Amino acid sequence: MKAKPTIITGTVGVDAHVIGTKIVSRALRDAGYAVVELGAQTPPEEFIKVAQETDADAMLMSSLYGMAEMDLQGFKEKCIEAGLEEVLLYIGGILGVSRHNFQDDEKRFKEMGFDRVYPPESDIQLAIQDLRGDLMSKRKFANLVMES
Amino acid sequence: MKAKPTIITGTVGVDAHVIGTKIVSRALRDAGYAVVELGAQTPPEEFIKVAQETDADAMLMSSLYGMAEMDLQGFKEKCIEAGLEEVLLYIGGILGVSRHNFQDDEKRFKEMGFDRVYPPESDIQLAIQDLRGDLMSKRKFANLVMES
Amino acid sequence: MIKVRQKQIDEDDFLAMRKDVLSLWPTGQEVDLDEAVEYQRNLPDSKKFYKVLQKVHEEGRTVLFPRSGTPIVEDEIELVRSLNDLGIPLIPFTTDSYTRNLQLDKAQRGLEDSIKAGRSMLNGYPIVNHGVLTTRKVVEACDGAFSPRSSRLANSLVGEVAFASGMTAMPNSFFGWIGGYDKKATVEECIDTAQYLGRLIGYYASKGVIITTDCHGWLPNGVIPMSVNIATQIIEALISAEQGVKSVMPQVNLQGSIAQDLGDIRVTPRLYRKYLDKLGHSDVMIPGIVGSQVPLYAFPRGMGSAFGYIVYTATVAALGQVDACFVKTIDEAIGIPTKESHIESYQAAKWVLDVVRTQEFEIDNEDIRQEESITEAEVTAILDKVLELGEGDIAVGAIRAVEAGVLDSPFSINIHAKDQVLGVRDLKGACRYIEFGNLPIPEEIKQFHRDKVAERENVEGRKMDYYVSIDDFWAISKGNLLGMPNFNNNNGRRGKD
Amino acid sequence: MIKVRQKQIDEDDFLAMRKDVLSLWPTGQEVDLDEAVEYQRNLPDSKKFYKVLQKVHEEGRTVLFPRSGTPIVEDEIELVRSLNDLGIPLIPFTTDSYTRNLQLDKAQRGLEDSIKAGRSMLNGYPIVNHGVLTTRKVVEACDGAFSPRSSRLANSLVGEVAFASGMTAMPNSFFGWIGGYDKKATVEECIDTAQYLGRLIGYYASKGVIITTDCHGWLPNGVIPMSVNIATQIIEALISAEQGVKSVMPQVNLQGSIAQDLGDIRVTPRLYRKYLDKLGHSDVMIPGIVGSQVPLYAFPRGMGSAFGYIVYTATVAALGQVDACFVKTIDEAIGIPTKESHIESYQAAKWVLDVVRTQEFEIDNEDIRQEESITEAEVTAILDKVLELGEGDIAVGAIRAVEAGVLDSPFSINIHAKDQVLGVRDLKGACRYIEFGNLPIPEEIKQFHRDKVAERENVEGRKMDYYVSIDDFWAISKGNLLGMPNFNNNNGRRGKD
Ligand code: B12
Ligand code: B12
């Protein structure tokens, strides 16, 4: 069992909105996680490759530019193929184009295999709480007492 | 036959919005009409009384404060009772309360016996053209060449 | 023969007058003055208008002071709460037009119809019909200080019910009635009525309860400088002060010219102080001033433009560092605003008020100073003339001044107004006179107006007359300060036909 | 080893490079440079960006220069027409993200999907896929001057297609890519790319066709002074000028502090002129400047607050008398704006721009002058250091400066940025550094920043650190300039858990 869970962060596709994922990454680090920060404009394949290399426990993906759905077609399936079915998939940001309902986004991304979907401007501390719970319930970290 | 048509103006009920009816009155005078300007806050009964006294040809009523419908319940009937069935009834301003459709206002006031109903901020010159046409077609002024 | 005098109403006479006022409608009997004083005494500071203003002033903020009212009490409670939730500490209380005209049976019918229909059939809250007990529920429903709006006929009764219900401010603005609300009352009748409310507030003051009076002055219905408005506000303040009012709030009408608006913001409270002191009312406080989007220009109909006008006005108010700010809503040109429109409009205004005030940005230039000194000279000349006409009695002077056109303003509702003055904007958008009527404005200042008007005549190649005045009146609603001859409604200019 | 130099690309080399660029996608073949020059020559003045700016400047107006783009050509035509109908003479042309990253097959798919679905599946107009003939239809559809937006990878090809289609301006802002659009490119690669577009515009210029370059500088992703942004804009202008660009448009990023924004508006064009002249480009004109709501603060989500922010920014732009103004829409925080949101937003902004500019209001005070001199000192120190590092060659200097952190800005996308600087607002809302990294800011000015930051630390009783910087970054979206520790998203501050 690893000492610290390993989390991969980044924006997916050619999304340039890096500010949010930088803040997310720092918050995870502050909370005691090992963070592999891929930054902006990270192709889905790179997430998978790095997850394999680092034995990652979760991916916290960001997307703001409205094209995440196109970018992530079949992503969960590729994760499974790559032996990453146990890796938690979270996504946050702005997931649709133009005025739309978050509920629709959430439904769509859950159907695409994401474990959790966050609305715009979510509180990252709450997401970190979710993450802790999800990791514990996967029993990968039997007694996850993080620094925070 | 009179030399000039006589027009009565004013805001009806306790409506205080006098600016519009002052502008309307001046425009009518500029256009050569005889105007009896009752000003703001004129009770419906006063319109009728003055119309009788002055042998008026039309009333151009204004109402902006949203309560015209209440103020003018049964007005046309009272005009008829008073022998004023031939007097043209025009109304303009803001005829309903809150966001609403002018089309509904128009329908309602026409049903109440108004000859013409004008939307907010109407061009008074166009209304004066209407008036001229209506007066001529009533043949009260066979050859209405106004000054304008 | 003028009977009214600038003199405090004798207490016994006043108590006798009260009986008549309270007998106008059954709910009058709910008003028990001693109990009301006690109730007022126990109000928290957040419900005392002058305390809120003072606090806001100390904190260097500009808060919103909107207008609104709706007939059904549950709706009104929801409305005042939603305003308060937005951070608005000064809560308006608009009464409906029937109430204002003391047609209380019609108000009753409107109220009942509203309840039956489940939607408002009145354009405000019929405070008299609801009475003290019900209205206290509204006052207690949120944590803000209340100020009801009325007009002349109902002023005394509305004041009685409002103060007994825990409201702590009210306009006592008899020139407001002359400008916009009362067609036939004489100036003397208006002063009479104002003296009653002043005396009532004075009575509360004598028991240690301070109620604030906001002075609106002669409602400016058109494109004109604010001098007459400011002068008449000060007259209203003096009349109220004589009756025992201890707290007055000046209102600066923001017209859209930054220089003129900021000049007026500076000069108005200074002139209030000057004349209050001069006439022996040094103990009357000015807890704060309110900037108002009031000059009665037609509002833009489009939502975007309406937001533009609202936020712009709030910005100027904040730059002028006024304590409170009244802006309209995006529905202004359409009809009584929905709750949503209220909220969005005030959120926009609040955003900019907070952002600008944080900056403590000092703004000054030659134009502002010039407008300031012009307004000061005009107001002073007018007030001195009024005092002269009254032989020292401001009440008498006010009456004679209106008669003589020494006080005058265009498009007023009241038939006693001369209506001989008119204005247009100059090239930079400041309001200037084109017709001075009998205003006692010093000759060199008249010349200044004429020069500015001539500049625009030269540039536009047209005479600055009544029609341009009306063009300018519509201009803001069309997206600028200077009117164009071809606005859609043509302004009654003679067409070709 | 740095290979790039501040030196005009040789014409033959350039023509050879063009072949490669145009072969990237079939529509490249639609570009015939001579025919394009001819087409450009015949454009009316209203489609020439610099002419429009000059005219606006002479008339003393501030016009809107929005952003927008949509994939389907009929929709794009409708969009540009509706902007133009609002009186907008400078028409933006946002390309989609796939295009900007030269993923033209994905753009093609997105375009086809959009057409099939009848709604946009791309976040902009795929100009390369549409090609010259189609895009000319858009340009000809309205009476405005066009400026397309791209990022590094597609910059050359987008420029080729856009100019051949009759567009007459384009950013050539390689620091913009470093700040916000390109993760991996080296500064050298960025300069290379910018030199190509500069050379292309220079080629048009040599035939008498003036195309304007707007310089955005290092995209400021956070709460920091604009000095690095302005310095890098000037570097971009110099790189472009060397390639033959004859018209550059400075952009002033309006951050919400009136004093700082107005100071920057004054100083920016002056410093452009200074360095252009100093380095031998006196013949490059500055036809106008644009004020931009660009510092990349999260936008308010509520409609009212969004209008507040938009109108406020436009007001400051108009007070600063800039020639053009870019504001976002009320949908900014939500998603790609609808056509209605565009229209309402620009109507609001236009209302205030027109109303304020009419007034020719002069605004000045000690704070503005102070900000002006601080920005001037910082930009000068930075640029002089860059020139020193490059031993007189600005291109070489720019590369070394980024490496050394002499040019630096937080939260940049590019991995070559040092990311060692950080800022917060001071008590009055001006942006100050809390971390200077290696910026060559003179010591006494650093001290000024520290003093201002200390003032706020004292008042708020908390250290001004990374977390406050992020609080401040969110502040505008929450309705003020200064961030509070308890904004809903907590800013990643360590919680209690
Ligand atoms: C800043 C910005 C940019 C900057 C980015 C700079 C940078 N270095 O990152 C620049 C200028 C480069 C940019 C470019 C573009 N942008 Co942009 N941009 C914005 C803006 C104004 C703010 C985004 C931001 O940084 N927010 C602040 C950060 C801190 O918040 P955040 O990212 O949401 O992250 C927080 C939370 O959401 C959460 N979170 C984030 N991710 C995750 C993930 C998980 C798992 C969890 C639990 C939580 C979480 O925690 C974070 C910290 O609190 C938004 C509009 C807005 N919201 O105001 C538009 C916006 C996102 N951009 C948009 C667009 C279209 C673009 C462009 C395509 C077009 C253009 N304008 O040039 C390009 C795209 C380039 C590309 N290839 O992606 C659109 C997207 C539209 C849509 N989805 O429908 C928006 C919404 C604006 C709009 N309405 O048009 N943009
Ligand atoms: C100025 C004004 C006032 C002034 C009036 C001053 C005065 N001396 O007239 C004052 C402050 C006194 C006032 C008071 C009130 N007002 Co008011 N007021 C306005 C305002 C801002 C402008 C009205 C105006 O003068 N327009 C300009 C004139 C020239 O236009 P007009 O009257 O429409 O007339 C033109 C055309 O319509 C046409 N026309 C007019 N009549 C006719 C008739 C015919 C036959 C024809 C052919 C053409 C025609 O020609 C005219 C010249 O071009 C409007 C909102 C707006 N539109 O911006 C609110 C507004 C009319 N007021 C309103 C209300 C509710 C009130 C008050 C009840 C509450 C309050 N705020 O105190 C009181 C009512 C008092 C009373 N008893 O009536 C509401 C009415 C709501 C509704 N209908 O749903 C409005 C719409 C504001 C709002 N959205 O709340 N108001």
Side-chain angles (χ1 to χ4, degrees):
Chain A
M1 216 178 262
K2 292 185 290 183
K4 285 179 176 188
T6 300
I7 317 294
I8 302 189
T9 62
T11 76
V12 75
V14 290
D15 186 345
H17 296 92
V18 80
I19 306 175
T21 187
K22 286 198 180 202
I23 295 176
V24 168
S25 305
R26 171 143 180 182
L28 285 166
R29 249 182 248 119
D30 282 357
Y33 291 88
V35 180
V36 184
E37 185 173 348
L38 299 179
Q41 298 182 323
T42 303
E45 302 73 35
E46 192 176 336
F47 276 93
I48 293 181
K49 200 172 123 265
V50 175
Q52 289 174 315
E53 288 166 9
T54 59
D55 184 20
D57 301 288
M59 302 191 201
L60 265 62
M61 300 173 127
S62 302
S63 175
L64 276 85
Y65 73 157
M67 306 203 286
E69 191 185 345
M70 258 167 111
D71 293 330
L72 291 168
Q73 248 10 300
F75 182 69
K76 179 71 187 181
E77 291 70 24
K78 284 183 209 140
C79 284
I80 297 176
E81 268 170 42
L84 301 173
E85 56 270 62
E86 285 299 302
V87 177
L88 289 166
L89 297 185
Y90 285 17
I91 190 161
I94 305 180
L95 299 173
V97 180
S98 210
R99 291 191 173 268
H100 63 281
N101 255 330
F102 170 68
Q103 280 65 35
D104 300 341
D105 294 342
E106 186 171 25
K107 189 155 166 283
R108 216 165 38 239
F109 281 85
K110 289 226 158 148
E111 281 167 12
M112 286 163 64
F114 280 80
D115 297 286
R116 292 188 184 265
V117 186
Y118 292 88
E121 303 188 9
S122 318
D123 184 337
I124 176 69
Q125 292 305 339
L126 296 181
I128 292 177
Q129 277 177 31
D130 292 342
L131 179 63
R132 190 164 165 263
D134 287 354
L135 289 171
M136 282 177 67
S137 76
K138 290 230 168 196
R139 295 188 188 281
K140 289 179 76 176
F141 295 85
N143 195 5
L144 192 65
V145 187
M146 302 298 295
E147 252 189 80
S148 63
Chain B
M1 217 180 263
K2 292 183 290 184
K4 286 179 175 189
T6 300
I7 316 294
I8 303 187
T9 62
T11 76
V12 74
V14 289
D15 187 345
H17 297 92
V18 80
I19 306 175
T21 187
K22 286 200 180 200
I23 295 176
V24 168
S25 305
R26 170 141 182 184
L28 284 166
R29 249 182 247 117
D30 282 357
Y33 291 87
V35 180
V36 184
E37 185 173 348
L38 299 179
Q41 299 181 324
T42 303
E45 301 72 36
E46 193 176 334
F47 276 93
I48 293 179
K49 200 171 125 263
V50 175
Q52 289 174 317
E53 289 167 9
T54 59
D55 185 19
D57 301 288
M59 304 191 199
L60 266 61
M61 300 173 127
S62 302
S63 175
L64 276 87
Y65 74 157
M67 305 202 288
E69 191 184 345
M70 259 167 107
D71 293 330
L72 291 168
Q73 252 3 304
F75 183 68
K76 179 71 188 182
E77 291 70 23
K78 284 182 211 141
C79 283
I80 296 175
E81 270 171 39
L84 301 173
E85 56 271 62
E86 285 299 303
V87 177
L88 289 167
L89 298 184
Y90 286 15
I91 190 162
I94 305 180
L95 298 174
V97 180
S98 211
R99 290 191 174 270
H100 62 281
N101 256 330
F102 170 69
Q103 280 66 35
D104 299 342
D105 295 342
E106 186 170 24
K107 189 155 167 282
R108 215 164 40 239
F109 281 85
K110 289 225 158 149
E111 281 166 12
M112 286 163 62
F114 281 79
D115 297 285
R116 291 187 186 265
V117 186
Y118 293 87
E121 303 188 10
S122 318
D123 183 337
I124 177 69
Q125 292 305 338
L126 296 180
I128 292 178
Q129 277 176 30
D130 292 342
L131 179 63
R132 190 164 166 265
D134 287 354
L135 288 172
M136 281 177 67
S137 75
K138 291 230 167 198
R139 298 190 185 279
K140 290 180 75 175
F141 296 87
N143 197 3
L144 193 62
V145 187
M146 301 298 295
E147 251 189 79
S148 62
Chain C
M1 238 277 295
I2 301 173
K3 274 192 291 189
V4 80
R5 287 288 174 282
Q6 168 77 328
K7 190 170 162 302
Q8 196 172 59
I9 304 173
D10 172 81
E11 180 154 332
D12 290 340
D13 291 351
F14 171 63
L15 294 175
M17 290 158 85
R18 290 192 68 239
K19 294 225 170 69
D20 294 342
V21 168
L22 295 178
S23 67
L24 287 167
W25 194 255
T27 53
Q29 303 319 312
E30 293 179 14
V31 182
D32 171 342
L33 199 48
D34 294 330
E35 188 269 349
V37 165
E38 213 33 50
Y39 182 80
Q40 282 268 358
R41 274 215 191 98
N42 291 322
L43 291 176
D45 282 0
S46 61
K47 288 208 196 302
K48 293 181 182 154
F49 208 88
Y50 80 101
K51 288 254 185 204
V52 174
L53 269 180
Q54 283 175 334
K55 182 154 173 276
V56 158
H57 188 83
E58 273 158 31
E59 292 169 353
R61 293 192 299 140
T62 299
V63 298
L64 284 167
F65 177 33
R67 299 289 141 92
S68 69
T70 184
I72 305 175
V73 70
E74 289 76 20
D75 294 351
E76 179 68 17
I77 287 178
E78 201 190 314
L79 179 64
V80 302
R81 280 199 180 135
S82 68
L83 294 174
N84 203 221
D85 287 349
L86 277 177
I88 294 175
L90 302 176
I91 309 288
F93 214 86
T94 298
T95 58
D96 67 286
S97 296
Y98 290 136
T99 294
R100 292 180 185 215
N101 288 286
L102 219 52
Q103 303 188 349
L104 297 169
D105 42 354
K106 282 202 193 162
Q108 187 67 33
R109 186 150 40 90
L111 172 59
E112 283 161 17
D113 287 355
S114 302
I115 294 172
K116 236 174 279 161
R119 64 186 173 87
S120 40
M121 310 285 280
L122 292 176
N123 57 15
Y125 178 95
I127 188 172
V128 175
N129 301 68
H130 280 304
V132 174
L133 298 177
T134 304
T135 305
R136 278 189 185 174
K137 284 191 208 144
V138 181
V139 171
E140 288 166 9
C142 83
D143 195 35
F146 283 74
S147 173
R149 265 93 243 289
S150 175
S151 35
R152 187 185 67 93
L153 280 170
N155 207 55
S156 306
L157 185 51
V158 166
E160 289 279 1
V161 175
F163 302 148
S165 305
M167 307 208 180
T168 51
M170 184 165 159
N172 194 19
S173 191
F174 55 94
F175 280 107
W177 308 329
I178 292 170
Y181 292 91
D182 202 307
K183 181 177 179 175
K184 292 182 180 161
T186 62
V187 182
E188 181 153 15
E189 286 168 332
C190 290
I191 294 179
D192 251 342
T193 307
Q195 285 181 329
Y196 181 95
L197 195 81
R199 191 64 185 80
L200 177 60
I201 296 175
Y203 183 91
Y204 277 95
S206 71
K207 308 285 175 191
V209 171
I210 307 271
I211 290 171
T212 301
T213 275
D214 55 320
C215 304
H216 296 180
W218 195 317
L219 267 193
N221 302 305
V223 180
I224 39 157
M226 285 300 129
S227 321
V228 170
N229 175 268
I230 297 167
T232 47
Q233 283 187 38
I234 293 174
I235 297 173
E236 293 166 359
L238 291 168
I239 298 281
S240 295
E242 186 73 22
Q243 299 301 323
V245 166
K246 295 296 173 213
S247 170
V248 295
M249 178 169 73
Q251 161 162 312
V252 181
N253 295 310
L254 304 172
Q255 310 184 74
S257 154
I258 304 174
Q260 209 163 27
D261 291 344
L262 294 180
D264 287 351
I265 287 173
R266 289 181 185 184
V267 85
T268 303
R270 199 168 68 232
L271 289 172
Y272 261 72
R273 192 71 273 157
K274 174 177 161 180
Y275 281 93
L276 282 168
D277 290 352
K278 187 169 159 175
L279 296 175
H281 301 292
S282 307
D283 62 335
V284 173
M285 68 170 141
I286 301 174
I289 68 177
V290 57
S292 274
Q293 188 168 42
V294 146
L296 302 167
Y297 311 129
F299 219 77
R301 293 183 70 80
M303 181 175 77
S305 305
F307 268 117
Y309 184 26
I310 290 168
V311 175
Y312 169 68
T313 303
T315 305
V316 175
L319 287 172
Q321 310 196 345
V322 298
D323 307 289
C325 174
F326 159 55
V327 290
K328 298 188 168 181
T329 75
I330 50 171
D331 282 356
E332 175 66 12
I334 315 287
I336 302 290
T338 61
K339 207 183 104 193
E340 292 69 36
S341 299
H342 270 123
I343 292 178
E344 300 290 4
S345 306
Y346 300 147
Q347 232 149 18
K350 187 175 176 352
W351 191 96
V352 84
L353 291 173
D354 290 344
V355 163
V356 173
R357 285 308 300 267
T358 296
Q359 302 180 52
E360 296 174 18
F361 186 79
E362 292 300 331
I363 191 165
D364 186 29
N365 66 21
E366 194 40 58
D367 284 353
I368 300 176
R369 286 190 296 272
Q370 185 175 55
E371 299 301 340
E372 188 184 351
S373 72
I374 285 176
T375 303
E376 175 152 14
E378 289 178 355
V379 174
T380 310
I382 293 169
L383 280 177
D384 291 350
K385 184 74 189 174
V386 172
L387 281 167
E388 187 194 314
L389 287 174
E391 292 150 89
D393 185 309
I394 192 80
V396 175
I399 295 165
R400 293 193 180 137
V402 175
E403 245 164 50
V406 160
L407 292 172
D408 197 4
S409 195
F411 293 109
S412 296
I413 189 176
N414 191 279
I415 53 177
H416 304 290
K418 283 267 177 229
D419 204 349
Q420 290 173 346
V421 301
L422 216 55
V424 296
R425 291 194 187 259
D426 70 15
L427 282 176
K428 286 184 169 187
C431 300
R432 310 292 177 204
Y433 283 114
I434 51 173
E435 304 283 352
F436 297 94
N438 285 331
L439 299 183
I441 293 180
E443 185 50 35
E444 71 276 19
I445 295 196
K446 285 190 175 171
Q447 196 50 49
F448 172 83
H449 286 266
R450 290 187 199 111
D451 292 346
K452 289 285 171 187
V453 171
E455 271 172 34
R456 183 166 167 202
E457 286 184 334
N458 287 340
V459 168
E460 295 190 7
R462 57 172 177 163
K463 177 120 193 65
M464 293 293 116
D465 56 10
Y466 164 84
Y467 298 102
V468 178
S469 182
I470 309 287
D471 290 339
D472 284 0
F473 178 78
W474 283 104
I476 277 190
S477 78
K478 311 297 172 197
N480 213 326
L481 291 178
L482 304 193
M484 307 294 187
N486 290 323
F487 285 157
N488 61 353
N489 49 32
N490 237 338
N491 297 338
R493 199 177 258 108
R494 265 212 256 160
K496 298 275 139 4
D497 201 354
Chain D
M1 238 279 294
I2 301 172
K3 275 192 290 189
V4 80
R5 287 288 175 280
Q6 169 75 328
K7 190 170 162 302
Q8 196 171 60
I9 305 173
D10 172 81
E11 178 153 334
D12 290 341
D13 291 352
F14 171 63
L15 295 175
M17 290 159 84
R18 289 192 69 239
K19 293 224 170 69
D20 294 342
V21 168
L22 295 177
S23 67
L24 287 167
W25 193 257
T27 52
Q29 304 320 312
E30 293 179 14
V31 181
D32 171 341
L33 199 47
D34 294 331
E35 188 269 349
V37 166
E38 212 33 50
Y39 182 80
Q40 282 268 357
R41 273 215 192 98
N42 292 322
L43 291 175
D45 282 0
S46 61
K47 286 206 197 304
K48 293 180 183 156
F49 208 89
Y50 82 99
K51 288 255 184 203
V52 174
L53 270 179
Q54 282 175 334
K55 181 153 174 274
V56 158
H57 188 84
E58 273 158 30
E59 292 168 353
R61 293 192 299 141
T62 300
V63 298
L64 283 167
F65 177 34
R67 299 291 140 91
S68 69
T70 185
I72 304 174
V73 70
E74 289 76 19
D75 294 351
E76 179 67 18
I77 286 178
E78 201 189 315
L79 179 64
V80 302
R81 278 198 182 136
S82 69
L83 294 174
N84 203 220
D85 287 348
L86 277 177
I88 295 176
L90 302 176
I91 310 289
F93 214 87
T94 298
T95 57
D96 67 286
S97 296
Y98 290 136
T99 294
R100 293 178 185 216
N101 288 285
L102 219 50
Q103 303 188 348
L104 298 170
D105 42 354
K106 282 202 194 163
Q108 188 66 33
R109 186 148 43 87
L111 172 59
E112 283 160 17
D113 286 357
S114 301
I115 293 172
K116 236 174 278 159
R119 64 187 174 89
S120 40
M121 309 287 279
L122 291 176
N123 57 14
Y125 178 96
I127 188 172
V128 175
N129 301 67
H130 280 305
V132 174
L133 297 178
T134 303
T135 305
R136 278 189 185 171
K137 283 191 209 144
V138 180
V139 171
E140 288 166 9
C142 83
D143 196 34
F146 283 75
S147 173
R149 267 92 242 289
S150 175
S151 34
R152 187 186 66 92
L153 280 169
N155 207 55
S156 306
L157 184 52
V158 166
E160 290 280 2
V161 175
F163 302 148
S165 305
M167 307 207 180
T168 51
M170 184 166 159
N172 194 20
S173 191
F174 54 94
F175 280 107
W177 307 330
I178 292 170
Y181 291 91
D182 202 307
K183 182 178 181 175
K184 291 182 181 161
T186 61
V187 182
E188 181 154 14
E189 285 168 331
C190 290
I191 294 179
D192 252 341
T193 307
Q195 285 181 330
Y196 181 94
L197 195 81
R199 191 62 184 81
L200 176 61
I201 296 176
Y203 183 91
Y204 276 95
S206 70
K207 308 286 175 194
V209 171
I210 307 272
I211 290 171
T212 301
T213 276
D214 55 319
C215 303
H216 297 181
W218 195 319
L219 267 194
N221 303 303
V223 181
I224 39 158
M226 285 299 128
S227 321
V228 170
N229 175 268
I230 297 168
T232 47
Q233 283 188 36
I234 293 174
I235 297 173
E236 293 166 1
L238 292 168
I239 298 281
S240 295
E242 186 73 23
Q243 298 303 322
V245 165
K246 295 295 175 216
S247 170
V248 295
M249 178 169 73
Q251 160 162 313
V252 181
N253 294 310
L254 305 172
Q255 310 184 75
S257 155
I258 304 174
Q260 209 163 27
D261 291 345
L262 294 180
D264 287 352
I265 287 173
R266 291 181 184 184
V267 84
T268 303
R270 198 167 68 232
L271 289 172
Y272 261 72
R273 193 70 272 159
K274 175 178 161 180
Y275 283 92
L276 282 169
D277 289 352
K278 188 170 160 174
L279 296 174
H281 302 292
S282 307
D283 61 335
V284 173
M285 67 171 141
I286 301 173
I289 68 176
V290 56
S292 275
Q293 189 169 41
V294 144
L296 303 167
Y297 310 130
F299 219 77
R301 293 183 70 79
M303 182 175 79
S305 305
F307 268 116
Y309 184 25
I310 290 168
V311 175
Y312 169 68
T313 303
T315 305
V316 175
L319 287 172
Q321 310 195 344
V322 299
D323 308 288
C325 173
F326 159 55
V327 290
K328 298 189 167 179
T329 75
I330 50 172
D331 282 355
E332 175 66 10
I334 316 287
I336 302 290
T338 61
K339 206 183 105 195
E340 291 70 35
S341 299
H342 270 124
I343 291 177
E344 300 290 4
S345 305
Y346 301 147
Q347 231 148 19
K350 186 174 176 354
W351 190 97
V352 84
L353 291 172
D354 290 344
V355 163
V356 173
R357 285 308 301 267
T358 296
Q359 302 179 50
E360 297 174 17
F361 185 79
E362 293 300 331
I363 191 164
D364 187 28
N365 66 20
E366 193 41 56
D367 284 354
I368 300 176
R369 287 189 296 270
Q370 185 176 55
E371 299 301 340
E372 188 183 351
S373 73
I374 286 178
T375 304
E376 175 150 17
E378 289 178 354
V379 174
T380 310
I382 292 169
L383 281 177
D384 291 350
K385 184 74 187 174
V386 172
L387 281 167
E388 187 193 316
L389 287 174
E391 292 151 272
D393 185 308
I394 193 80
V396 175
I399 295 166
R400 292 192 180 139
V402 175
E403 245 165 50
V406 160
L407 293 173
D408 197 5
S409 195
F411 293 109
S412 296
I413 189 177
N414 191 278
I415 53 176
H416 304 290
K418 283 268 181 232
D419 204 349
Q420 290 174 345
V421 301
L422 217 54
V424 296
R425 291 194 187 259
D426 70 16
L427 282 176
K428 286 184 169 184
C431 301
R432 310 293 176 201
Y433 283 115
I434 50 173
E435 305 282 353
F436 296 95
N438 286 329
L439 299 183
I441 292 181
E443 185 49 37
E444 72 273 19
I445 294 194
K446 285 190 176 173
Q447 195 52 48
F448 172 83
H449 285 266
R450 289 189 198 109
D451 292 346
K452 289 285 172 186
V453 171
E455 272 173 33
R456 182 166 167 203
E457 287 184 334
N458 287 340
V459 168
E460 295 190 7
R462 58 171 177 162
K463 177 119 194 65
M464 293 293 116
D465 57 9
Y466 164 84
Y467 297 102
V468 178
S469 181
I470 310 285
D471 290 339
D472 284 0
F473 179 77
W474 283 104
I476 277 191
S477 77
K478 311 296 171 195
N480 213 326
L481 291 178
L482 303 194
M484 306 293 188
N486 291 323
F487 284 157
N488 62 353
N489 48 31
N490 236 339
N491 296 339
R493 199 178 260 108
R494 267 209 258 159
K496 296 275 139 5
D497 202 357

